[in-house]
Amino acid sequence: MESADNGGFHPLDEKSLVEYIKSTPPLFTRLGGQAELDHLTIKEVGDGNLNFVYIVTSPKGSFVAKQALPYIRCVGDSWPMTRERAYFEARTLTEHGRLCPEHVPEVYHFDRSMSLIGMRYLEPPHIILRKGLIAGIEYPLLAQHMSDYIAKTLFFTSLLYHTTSDHKKAVAEFCGNVEMCRLTEQVVFTDPYRVSNINRWTSPYLDQDAKSVREDDELKFQIAELKSMFCERAQALIHGDLHTGSVMVTTDSTQVIDPEFGFYAPMGFDIGAFLGNLILAYFSQDGHATETNDRKAYKEWILNTIEETWRLFEYKFCSLWDLHKNGNGEVYPLDVYNNAELLRTAQKKYMNNLFHDSLGFGAAKMIRRIVGIAHVEDFESIKDESRRASCERRALNVAKLLLKERRKFDTIGQVISAIKEGSVQ
Amino acid sequence: MESADNGGFHPLDEKSLVEYIKSTPPLFTRLGGQAELDHLTIKEVGDGNLNFVYIVTSPKGSFVAKQALPYIRCVGDSWPMTRERAYFEARTLTEHGRLCPEHVPEVYHFDRSMSLIGMRYLEPPHIILRKGLIAGIEYPLLAQHMSDYIAKTLFFTSLLYHTTSDHKKAVAEFCGNVEMCRLTEQVVFTDPYRVSNINRWTSPYLDQDAKSVREDDELKFQIAELKSMFCERAQALIHGDLHTGSVMVTTDSTQVIDPEFGFYAPMGFDIGAFLGNLILAYFSQDGHATETNDRKAYKEWILNTIEETWRLFEYKFCSLWDLHKNGNGEVYPLDVYNNAELLRTAQKKYMNNLFHDSLGFGAAKMIRRIVGIAHVEDFESIKDESRRASCERRALNVAKLLLKERRKFDTIGQVISAIKEGSVQ
């Protein structure tokens, strides 16, 4: 980790950024070089809480410059946070981009001492998926694209494809991203289940609900199991923060950004993060319904997207497994799993475990967004607090059910039914 | 890993060892230094297959010098094998020795470029436990001592005691021992379940039994799950090869040696290795019975030792947990698990999972010793092949039951019953 501390770091402003670009050919040439120097436009678009994010454009080209700051700000508090997260973000972007270039923005440049990534600018009309979900916009290719991204990034970084030599080498490197892991451990797996002054919820409406989370023994047993798994199990290189705010979309394009929490962890954490945040979006719709748009059709679209994402993921993941069954992966060697039916059953068992992990992690991510430190705009943008609270309560109850009873769900269809039931209570 | 390749390595013989000792104060002074130079005795006791092991004594002191060679020999084949295993052996000995000095020989010196460990000489009457078990010798403190070793080494290197920062740092380092992991992956989790020319068994008696292992689908599903867990789950710093040949004993002393397979892995792999090898010892006793000694009492002693080892381990592990519940461990923070009953139930669930893992891994270790590459002297020393085969078959059948049905066992008493039943079939 020393390399980040080697000096040379300074936060860039618009002026020093220009100097930086001039001395960095991979960025400067992308803008057209010296000839375009007087035609640059620079716009700061980061929320300033974690990173500076500059959009740099010229008539000839563009990129985004993202610089990590040595802290994060959250609900007024400032936590010191290593700038090395930029290194792991760049590493994960590059690796996931190699495996799924269609859905990961290209990295043009990385400067470890400056904690700076130069990467593709996702031009308009790209918007953050979460904002699209709040606006009620359908993305007909979303399930197709996201299942593609998840299946490829997880399969190709798992022991189904890797040798254990390659795997352990990569695992060791990403152990260095421990500060980001610790943040997740605390805010997802611990804080919602204890009294903590950084927790918040829509009070007083959900006071009793938050208390019941803190007093639910079964929930606590289950969350401990998931926390252990998150900390101990190096299953694949996950994005680590795959909520709907980490995805940018247009009708045709789906791009996954911000993998600064990337490390080797249970696959279900990524799958669950995405599906769990879609479920939150679903439960928020009643809060966005108006007389002219009851959002009923849109809720159906979200449910279909949840179902399709899992189904397509499962299909694609198993197809990759079939395609590479003769490869370097060592857990299911072909001379042991030596007939089609045997391998098929092994896959079913594997996917069944992964399904349950995904439901557990997804539910944990939902719960923490309702009674923990960081909330989601899907709910926050519902101005009427009583209305917001009742949306949140329904989501929370479904999340508790999914977390505690996840092993009783055999199919995504059963999960959809549980969501629907939870929606009318 | 480069450090081992930095040159300077040469295999020591008795003559060059003396020169080495003279230039190595931590070893030389232990023998009394220059004054004793003419009174050294050097004895090579290694089997020469993996390492040189020299016992060096003088009238003033003694030590063992263990040097790793860049290969292992097994059943006539020679496999290249990194000398860096000596580094991980020294690291594990030192770490486990710090946590449980009573049962781990002291390390006096380690030379990474020479792959050489200087450590305590376990003087007579210490013998390898496996040889004691074959001879029918009772060790009344064995369960007490081994449960102590296992509980301390596993608890204090787990997330129940560590912060995740300390844990991930240690995990990353031990990822470097991947070559040794790969050896285990192949010979324990893969080879016994496929046709492989390095497998062997007591033929022709067990031909059908070996075939039935290779054709048992349920066994294959279970072994894949355990193999994944072994490769992915960094639960604690395990010894990695804790069979009864890695333990030296007298009536009063129990010393665990040879942790060159040490890395962060599921705890159950160590517990299972020890218990599984005791079960093998149990099933071998009928092959060692004579007219004057039917070994019945000894078989009872082994069963008691199995039962006591688990019971004491469980008690000691949970006691350590209670003692350190206010410590740095982060999976069960006290403000979440905030009453005695809740914590007790969480412990029960944790121990129950660990019990099932241990049965699974223990059974896998038994199976590979009967139909895989490396066998155990407990059975090999039964000269009559038909008699040996029938002992092995009973052990194999119990192992298959334990592997496939492990989650149906609630108590160690039920396991003992299954062993007894399997013994009369």
Side-chain angles (χ1 to χ4, degrees):
Chain A
M1 302 303 91
E2 283 75 7
S3 37
D5 304 326
N6 274 350
F9 176 81
H10 52 277
L12 289 171
D13 56 24
E14 301 198 6
K15 191 160 165 246
S16 55
L17 177 59
V18 174
E19 293 310 307
Y20 185 88
I21 292 167
K22 281 165 64 181
S23 63
T24 307
L27 298 180
F28 201 30
T29 55
R30 190 160 290 274
L31 298 172
Q34 198 64 36
E36 301 298 328
L37 190 56
D38 293 335
H39 309 101
L40 302 191
T41 313
I42 295 182
K43 201 173 138 196
E44 216 280 301
V45 295
D47 51 14
N49 281 340
L50 290 92
N51 309 291
F52 286 131
V53 181
Y54 295 101
I55 297 168
V56 186
T57 52
S58 81
K60 294 288 167 58
S62 65
F63 60 84
V64 159
K66 179 174 178 181
Q67 186 179 36
L69 301 175
Y71 55 80
I72 59 165
R73 254 186 243 131
C74 209
V75 201
D77 281 322
S78 175
W79 293 3
M81 184 56 61
T82 173
R83 289 183 288 108
E84 271 298 271
R85 67 184 187 275
Y87 170 74
F88 293 104
E89 177 169 356
R91 281 284 286 116
T92 308
L93 277 173
T94 307
E95 182 66 7
H96 283 183
R98 193 176 64 77
L99 299 171
C100 187
E102 305 87 340
H103 303 302
V104 180
E106 188 183 347
V107 172
Y108 304 138
H109 169 71
F110 177 63
D111 180 338
R112 194 163 181 173
S113 65
M114 283 290 279
S115 307
L116 185 134
I117 304 172
M119 59 194 287
R120 179 186 161 194
Y121 167 46
L122 296 168
E123 67 291 343
H126 277 103
I127 60 167
I128 293 288
L129 172 58
R130 194 186 298 285
K131 292 185 187 292
L133 293 166
I134 294 167
I137 304 167
E138 294 189 12
Y139 296 97
L141 298 175
L142 184 63
Q144 188 69 257
H145 288 171
M146 286 303 292
S147 60
D148 213 42
Y149 167 80
I150 299 174
K152 284 176 181 164
T153 57
L154 298 183
F155 177 83
F156 287 116
T157 60
S158 79
L159 285 168
L160 298 172
Y161 182 75
H162 269 172
T163 64
T164 47
S165 306
D166 292 341
H167 199 72
K168 279 211 164 30
K169 198 173 159 187
V171 168
E173 181 184 5
F174 279 91
C175 279
N177 206 14
V178 59
E179 281 197 46
M180 300 303 277
C181 299
R182 287 174 64 83
L183 183 59
T184 302
E185 289 157 25
Q186 182 188 331
V187 301
V188 175
F189 297 102
T190 300
D191 282 342
Y193 305 91
R194 67 178 172 189
V195 175
S196 163
N197 58 17
I198 61 174
N199 287 339
R200 63 191 186 87
W201 52 83
T202 305
S203 185
Y205 305 95
L206 297 185
D207 289 358
Q208 199 52 47
D209 302 80
K211 187 159 180 276
S212 85
V213 168
R214 295 194 306 268
E215 291 176 356
D216 189 327
D217 288 358
E218 186 54 32
L219 215 51
K220 291 181 179 186
F221 299 139
Q222 296 302 327
I223 204 71
E225 210 174 283
L226 291 169
K227 186 175 183 180
S228 289
M229 204 201 297
F230 180 79
C231 296
E232 292 172 349
R233 187 174 180 197
Q235 194 178 19
L237 177 57
I238 69 167
H239 176 285
D241 196 28
L242 194 56
H243 56 76
T244 51
S246 296
V247 182
M248 295 196 74
V249 285
T250 67
T251 313
D252 308 316
S253 167
T254 306
Q255 302 292 327
V256 178
I257 61 171
D258 291 350
E260 58 197 345
F261 287 84
F263 78 118
Y264 276 77
M267 297 178 180
F269 194 77
D270 267 6
I271 305 165
F274 185 66
L275 298 183
N277 273 269
L278 286 181
I279 301 174
L280 292 177
Y282 173 87
F283 280 103
S284 76
Q285 295 300 318
D286 287 350
H288 302 305
T290 59
E291 286 197 0
T292 54
N293 184 352
D294 63 7
R295 298 274 181 134
K296 276 190 184 155
Y298 195 62
K299 285 171 74 177
E300 278 304 312
W301 176 81
I302 295 177
L303 290 184
N304 284 340
T305 301
I306 292 169
E307 187 161 0
E308 279 302 288
T309 301
W310 172 263
R311 280 196 206 286
L312 289 169
F313 163 74
E314 186 174 34
Y315 173 78
K316 290 174 184 182
F317 191 90
C318 290
S319 299
L320 289 173
W321 189 340
D322 286 339
L323 199 61
H324 296 280
K325 66 187 177 187
N326 272 310
N328 294 327
E330 288 168 307
V331 179
Y332 294 87
L334 262 200
D335 47 2
V336 175
Y337 302 86
N338 49 5
N339 69 68
E341 198 195 318
L342 183 58
L343 187 62
R344 181 66 52 207
T345 310
Q347 288 178 346
K348 268 191 193 155
K349 286 173 184 277
Y350 190 99
M351 298 314 285
N352 196 46
N353 285 332
L354 184 49
F355 183 59
H356 293 155
D357 294 350
S358 302
L359 294 181
F361 286 121
K365 302 273 271 180
M366 291 171 67
I367 291 170
R368 74 97 157 199
R369 294 295 194 177
I370 298 168
V371 298
I373 180 173
H375 287 228
V376 289
E377 200 183 331
D378 311 62
F379 290 130
E380 297 295 290
S381 58
I382 302 169
K383 291 285 170 271
D384 180 328
E385 295 198 337
S386 152
R387 195 176 178 194
R388 183 203 310 155
S390 89
C391 292
E392 288 175 323
R393 180 179 296 118
R394 285 184 221 125
L396 182 62
N397 287 336
V398 165
K400 286 164 67 175
L401 173 76
L402 291 177
L403 186 52
K404 291 194 275 193
E405 308 289 343
R406 63 189 183 278
R407 292 188 186 85
K408 294 186 183 154
F409 289 88
D410 293 324
T411 67
I412 189 71
Q414 293 169 353
V415 175
I416 300 296
S417 300
I419 296 169
K420 279 185 174 166
E421 274 173 47
S423 164
V424 293
Q425 275 161 2
Chain B
M1 300 303 90
E2 283 75 9
S3 36
D5 305 326
N6 275 350
F9 177 80
H10 52 277
L12 290 171
D13 56 25
E14 300 196 7
K15 191 158 165 248
S16 55
L17 177 59
V18 173
E19 293 309 306
Y20 185 88
I21 292 167
K22 279 166 65 180
S23 64
T24 308
L27 298 180
F28 201 29
T29 54
R30 191 159 290 275
L31 298 171
Q34 197 66 34
E36 301 298 327
L37 190 55
D38 294 335
H39 309 102
L40 301 191
T41 313
I42 296 182
K43 201 173 139 195
E44 216 281 300
V45 295
D47 52 14
N49 281 341
L50 289 93
N51 308 292
F52 287 132
V53 181
Y54 295 102
I55 298 168
V56 185
T57 52
S58 82
K60 294 287 167 56
S62 65
F63 61 84
V64 159
K66 179 174 178 181
Q67 186 179 37
L69 301 175
Y71 53 80
I72 59 165
R73 254 185 243 131
C74 210
V75 201
D77 280 322
S78 175
W79 291 3
M81 184 54 61
T82 174
R83 290 185 286 106
E84 271 298 272
R85 66 184 188 276
Y87 170 73
F88 293 104
E89 176 170 354
R91 280 285 283 117
T92 308
L93 277 173
T94 307
E95 182 66 5
H96 282 183
R98 194 176 62 76
L99 299 171
C100 187
E102 307 87 338
H103 304 302
V104 179
E106 188 183 347
V107 173
Y108 305 138
H109 168 71
F110 177 62
D111 180 338
R112 195 163 179 174
S113 65
M114 284 289 281
S115 307
L116 185 135
I117 303 173
M119 57 193 287
R120 178 185 162 195
Y121 167 46
L122 296 168
E123 67 292 343
H126 278 102
I127 61 168
I128 293 288
L129 172 58
R130 194 185 298 285
K131 291 185 188 291
L133 293 166
I134 293 166
I137 303 168
E138 295 188 10
Y139 296 96
L141 298 175
L142 184 62
Q144 188 69 255
H145 288 171
M146 287 303 293
S147 60
D148 213 44
Y149 167 80
I150 300 173
K152 284 176 180 164
T153 56
L154 298 183
F155 178 83
F156 286 116
T157 61
S158 79
L159 285 168
L160 297 173
Y161 182 74
H162 268 174
T163 64
T164 47
S165 306
D166 292 340
H167 199 73
K168 279 211 165 25
K169 197 171 162 190
V171 167
E173 181 183 5
F174 278 91
C175 279
N177 206 15
V178 59
E179 282 198 45
M180 299 304 278
C181 299
R182 287 173 66 83
L183 184 59
T184 301
E185 289 157 25
Q186 182 187 332
V187 300
V188 175
F189 297 102
T190 301
D191 281 343
Y193 306 91
R194 68 179 171 189
V195 174
S196 163
N197 59 17
I198 61 174
N199 286 339
R200 63 190 185 86
W201 52 84
T202 304
S203 184
Y205 305 95
L206 297 185
D207 288 0
Q208 200 51 49
D209 302 80
K211 188 160 178 278
S212 85
V213 167
R214 294 194 306 269
E215 292 177 355
D216 188 327
D217 288 358
E218 185 55 31
L219 216 49
K220 291 181 180 186
F221 300 139
Q222 295 302 327
I223 204 72
E225 209 174 284
L226 291 169
K227 187 176 182 180
S228 290
M229 204 201 297
F230 180 80
C231 296
E232 293 172 348
R233 185 175 181 196
Q235 195 178 17
L237 176 58
I238 69 167
H239 177 284
D241 196 27
L242 194 56
H243 56 75
T244 51
S246 296
V247 182
M248 294 196 74
V249 284
T250 68
T251 313
D252 309 315
S253 166
T254 305
Q255 302 292 327
V256 177
I257 60 172
D258 291 350
E260 58 197 345
F261 287 84
F263 78 118
Y264 277 77
M267 296 177 180
F269 194 77
D270 267 7
I271 304 165
F274 185 66
L275 298 184
N277 274 270
L278 287 180
I279 301 174
L280 293 177
Y282 172 87
F283 280 103
S284 77
Q285 295 301 319
D286 287 351
H288 302 305
T290 59
E291 287 196 0
T292 53
N293 184 352
D294 64 9
R295 298 274 181 134
K296 277 190 184 156
Y298 195 62
K299 285 170 73 176
E300 278 304 311
W301 176 80
I302 295 178
L303 291 185
N304 283 340
T305 301
I306 293 169
E307 187 161 359
E308 279 303 287
T309 301
W310 173 263
R311 281 197 205 286
L312 288 169
F313 163 74
E314 188 174 33
Y315 173 78
K316 290 174 184 182
F317 191 90
C318 290
S319 299
L320 289 172
W321 190 339
D322 286 338
L323 200 62
H324 296 280
K325 65 186 176 188
N326 272 311
N328 293 327
E330 287 167 306
V331 179
Y332 293 86
L334 263 200
D335 47 3
V336 175
Y337 301 88
N338 49 5
N339 71 67
E341 198 195 319
L342 183 59
L343 188 63
R344 181 67 54 206
T345 311
Q347 289 179 345
K348 268 191 193 155
K349 285 172 183 279
Y350 190 99
M351 298 314 284
N352 197 45
N353 286 334
L354 184 49
F355 183 59
H356 294 154
D357 293 350
S358 302
L359 294 180
F361 286 121
K365 301 275 272 181
M366 291 171 66
I367 291 169
R368 74 97 157 201
R369 293 295 193 176
I370 298 168
V371 299
I373 181 174
H375 286 229
V376 288
E377 200 183 332
D378 311 63
F379 290 130
E380 297 295 289
S381 59
I382 302 169
K383 290 285 169 273
D384 180 330
E385 294 198 337
S386 152
R387 194 177 179 194
R388 183 203 309 156
S390 87
C391 292
E392 288 175 323
R393 180 178 296 117
R394 283 184 221 127
L396 183 62
N397 288 336
V398 165
K400 287 164 67 175
L401 173 76
L402 291 177
L403 186 51
K404 291 193 276 192
E405 308 289 343
R406 63 189 184 278
R407 292 188 186 85
K408 293 185 184 154
F409 289 88
D410 293 323
T411 66
I412 188 71
Q414 293 168 354
V415 175
I416 301 296
S417 300
I419 296 170
K420 279 183 173 167
E421 274 173 45
S423 162
V424 293
Q425 275 161 1

